Amino acid sequence: ETGVTQTPRHLVMGMTNKKSLKCEQHLGHNAMYWYKQSAKKPLELMFVYSLEERVENNSVPSRFSPECPNSSHLFLHLHTLQPEDSALYLCASSQTTGTPTDTQYFGPGTRLTVL
Amino acid sequence: TQLLEQSPQFLSIQEGENLTVYCNSSSVFSSLQWYRQEPGEGPVLLVTVVTGGEVKKLKRLTFQFGDARKDSSLHITAAQPGDTGLYLCAGSNTGNQFYFGTGTSLTVIP
């Protein structure tokens, strides 16, 4: 089983839709992350969860709502998105947070297009 | 926001050539990581450096952390088509926040 899986791999949605992205890690890690990767921009950290508690929220608009029901699963709920939210959304996990040398394992990402 | 600028942004070379990619910042980091991302996949960690002046080698890849821990370089010897991908550097001080660079897209032509 691949370490970090994400579904769906591709998603097209209208601005009024509500959808959710799912991430699952099979590595026994305690920390999970959501990143946004847009063309010509650096990877942006959106949210960090440690032991199911949110520890970082980098000024992300409220139309993005994360949920971490347990240490293996992470969701990103989307509603009333804008076309500029179109991007590759990457999930990652690591053993812990708070250690600058932690290894993050990334999933393959969900390619989101907002029409 | 702690910015990491990578250069060059794009690089296309012939198989067998050598190349160097740079990652520069005005900020000091406790650690700096290099990742490679292939199309349709997430980034994969190549190396972590933590000590100023540190040099690490991974087969044909040589990574160096600047003495002041503000910059880093990645040197590839005798590039191969399998080295093609997007190379990303990322710096961190706390472990909760990793600041990623702008990326270098490398194409190695057979």
Side-chain angles (χ1 to χ4, degrees), chain A residues 30-34 45 47-56 65-71 73-75 92-94 96-97:
Chain A
N30 294 318
M32 297 187 77
Y33 310 77
W34 278 117
L45 180 65
F47 301 104
V48 180
Y49 276 84
S50 176
L51 295 172
E52 300 127 58
E53 289 194 21
R54 191 187 309 178
V55 296
E56 289 285 345
S65 175
E67 178 189 2
C68 189
N70 55 62
S71 60
H73 293 86
L74 185 65
F75 295 89
S93 72
S94 64
T96 61
T97 61

Side-chain angles (χ1 to χ4, degrees), chain A residues 86-107:
Chain A
S86 298
L88 181 68
Y89 288 85
L90 290 161
C91 172
S93 72
S94 64
Q95 184 62 51
T96 61
T97 61
T99 305
T101 54
D102 265 339
T103 297
Q104 293 183 74
Y105 295 84
F106 285 84

Side-chain angles (χ1 to χ4, degrees), chain B residues 57-92:
Chain B
K57 291 191 174 183
L58 183 66
K59 297 183 180 179
R60 294 176 293 99
L61 279 60
T62 302
F63 305 85
Q64 183 162 9
F65 202 10
D67 290 342
R69 291 185 287 125
K70 293 182 178 181
D71 53 80
S72 181
S73 64
L74 159 58
H75 182 78
I76 301 179
T77 304
Q80 298 177 1
D83 296 326
T84 293
L86 179 67
Y87 288 81
L88 299 165
C89 63
S92 181

Side-chain angles (χ1 to χ4, degrees), chain A residues 6-93:
Chain A
Q6 290 187 243
T7 55
R9 293 293 307 271
H10 300 271
L11 178 62
V12 179
M13 60 186 290
M15 289 191 284
T16 58
N17 291 156
K18 290 184 179 181
K19 297 286 184 182
S20 295
L21 309 184
K22 179 183 176 181
C23 175
E24 184 174 0
Q25 58 98 357
H26 311 272
L27 301 168
H29 288 166
N30 294 318
M32 297 187 77
Y33 310 77
W34 278 117
Y35 285 89
K36 177 183 179 182
Q37 187 172 34
S38 306
K40 301 181 181 180
K41 292 179 69 176
L43 219 68
E44 301 171 62
L45 180 65
M46 301 174 72
F47 301 104
V48 180
Y49 276 84
S50 176
L51 295 172
E52 300 127 58
E53 289 194 21
R54 191 187 309 178
V55 296
E56 289 285 345
N57 176 357
N58 284 356
S59 302
V60 179
S62 59
R63 56 185 184 270
F64 295 92
S65 175
E67 178 189 2
C68 189
N70 55 62
S71 60
S72 298
H73 293 86
L74 185 65
F75 295 89
L76 188 63
H77 302 300
L78 317 171
H79 64 98
T80 59
L81 294 192
Q82 305 298 312
E84 58 265 30
D85 296 323
S86 298
L88 181 68
Y89 288 85
L90 290 161
C91 172
S93 72

Side-chain angles (χ1 to χ4, degrees), chain A residues 9 37 58 97-98 100 102 104, chain B residues 31 33 37 40 94 96-98:
Chain A
R9 293 293 307 271
Q37 187 172 34
N58 284 356
T97 61
D102 265 339
Q104 293 183 74
Chain B
S31 73
Q33 299 179 327
Q37 184 177 17
T94 65
N96 286 344
Q97 180 84 23
F98 287 86

Side-chain angles (χ1 to χ4, degrees), chain B residues 4-46:
Chain B
L4 283 148
E5 293 194 12
Q6 290 184 237
S7 60
Q9 186 177 358
F10 298 98
L11 188 57
S12 181
I13 62 170
Q14 293 292 133
E15 182 176 0
E17 292 183 352
N18 301 332
L19 67 115
T20 302
V21 175
Y22 299 93
C23 174
N24 295 298
S25 175
S26 58
S27 301
V28 176
F29 292 103
S30 297
S31 73
L32 197 134
Q33 299 179 327
W34 283 94
Y35 292 80
R36 180 171 66 216
Q37 184 177 17
E38 298 184 18
E41 301 294 332
V44 175
L45 181 67
L46 296 173

